[in-house]
Amino acid sequence: MADPKFSSLPNLINKSVMKGDILAGDDLDEQGLKKWYQEEENAFYNSESEQCIDDPWYKYMCFVNKKLTHKAINQIKENVKNILFVGPGSGNEVFFYKKLLANSDISFLESSKDFQKLLKDKFPSSKIIQPRFDGVIDIDDNFFDIIFFFSVLHHIPNVSKVLKESSRITKKGGLVIIREPCSSMGFWDKPRSSTPNERGISKKVMLNIAKKSGLKSIQKPRPILLEPINKFIHKNKLYPYLNFKFL
């Protein structure tokens, strides 16, 4: 777990954040952004969270995610040339989309040097883009056909800037696909379960930011799991007794 003493998050919590009206960290100054970036840069790699790939709950989440994205992707599939995965970690969720979009060039926007190495080993022809603490993405306008954000924005402070940049570099008619936790992810003043500054993004905040960024919602947000249930199952060691044969 990430110690709150080494986190920017506790000092940013106020009533508006707790009500889900604004996002903690979204309006940090340059110094604050640099500090947050350094705290998160390699934190997920150094945590035990990468073990989640063997978690049945994680597999379920990925399964539902594929079902929810398949239709929209198929509608533009034949014209997709360039795709970007933001914060993909070790890239375990990339394989499905690599097969689905076999003729596309893959790029990764990943902060961890360790994950960058793993990604190049798994996807040798891919391109690695180094993130910037200010949220600027060093790519030309209208370049990508699809951008994937799978459980990464809740680690990033300036989500508004990153989504605005994503809108800029996505082609007209392209897709920006987002999956994020929308709960608090625990008590703000307690250790975070994975990385120092992770916090959920409320549906209201996410939709407002996306709209202001120039993104148009083509599908209403859908809940795919309830994290407290997952924690209860883990705590009581119930997974061996559950049936996930449908995955």
Side-chain angles (χ1 to χ4, degrees), residues 110-243:
E110 172 58 56
S111 65
S112 168
K113 298 296 185 184
D114 296 293
F115 276 141
Q116 289 180 9
K117 184 178 184 304
L118 286 175
L119 291 167
K120 287 299 288 185
D121 288 342
K122 292 181 179 179
F123 310 97
S125 63
S126 65
K127 177 182 178 181
I128 303 292
I129 304 168
Q130 184 64 40
R132 291 172 43 166
F133 74 87
D134 60 4
V136 173
I137 302 175
D138 293 321
I139 291 292
D140 293 338
D141 295 357
N142 308 307
F143 183 79
F144 289 108
D145 298 284
I146 307 176
I147 299 180
F148 298 91
F149 289 92
F150 290 154
S151 301
V152 62
L153 287 171
H154 67 286
H155 295 288
I156 295 172
N158 47 347
V159 172
S160 292
K161 178 63 176 180
V162 172
L163 285 190
K164 187 173 182 179
E165 281 289 278
S166 298
S167 178
R168 176 183 66 80
I169 64 176
T170 302
K171 293 179 183 177
K172 184 177 181 180
L175 298 172
V176 176
I177 299 174
I178 299 171
R179 182 194 71 217
E180 290 294 330
C182 60
S183 69
S184 66
M185 302 185 71
F187 294 102
W188 301 109
D189 58 345
K190 303 295 183 183
R192 313 310 290 160
S193 62
S194 174
T195 68
N197 300 309
E198 62 176 4
R199 80 287 191 225
I201 305 172
S202 73
K203 182 173 72 172
K204 177 168 60 176
V205 166
M206 180 65 79
L207 291 175
N208 285 340
I209 290 176
K211 184 177 181 180
K212 290 178 181 178
S213 300
L215 299 173
K216 179 182 178 181
S217 178
I218 62 171
Q219 183 173 296
K220 291 182 179 180
R222 300 189 189 182
I224 60 174
L225 62 79
L226 185 62
E227 180 59 18
I229 296 178
N230 182 34
K231 289 182 178 179
F232 175 82
I233 294 173
H234 266 298
K235 183 178 180 180
N236 293 281
K237 301 179 179 179
L238 298 177
Y239 269 120
Y241 304 100
L242 298 180
N243 188 339

Side-chain angles (χ1 to χ4, degrees), residues 65-81 83 85 93-94 96-102 104 145-148 150 173-178 218-219:
N65 207 63
K66 293 171 187 176
K67 292 293 184 181
L68 293 178
T69 61
H70 202 273
K71 181 179 179 181
I73 290 176
N74 273 341
Q75 290 176 348
I76 65 170
K77 178 180 176 181
E78 299 305 318
N79 298 315
V80 173
K81 302 299 182 185
I83 59 177
F85 291 85
E93 291 194 68
V94 175
F96 170 79
Y97 296 98
K98 182 178 186 297
K99 183 177 181 180
L100 180 64
L101 301 164
S104 302
D145 298 284
I146 307 176
I147 299 180
F148 298 91
F150 290 154
L175 298 172
V176 176
I177 299 174
I178 299 171
I218 62 171
Q219 183 173 296

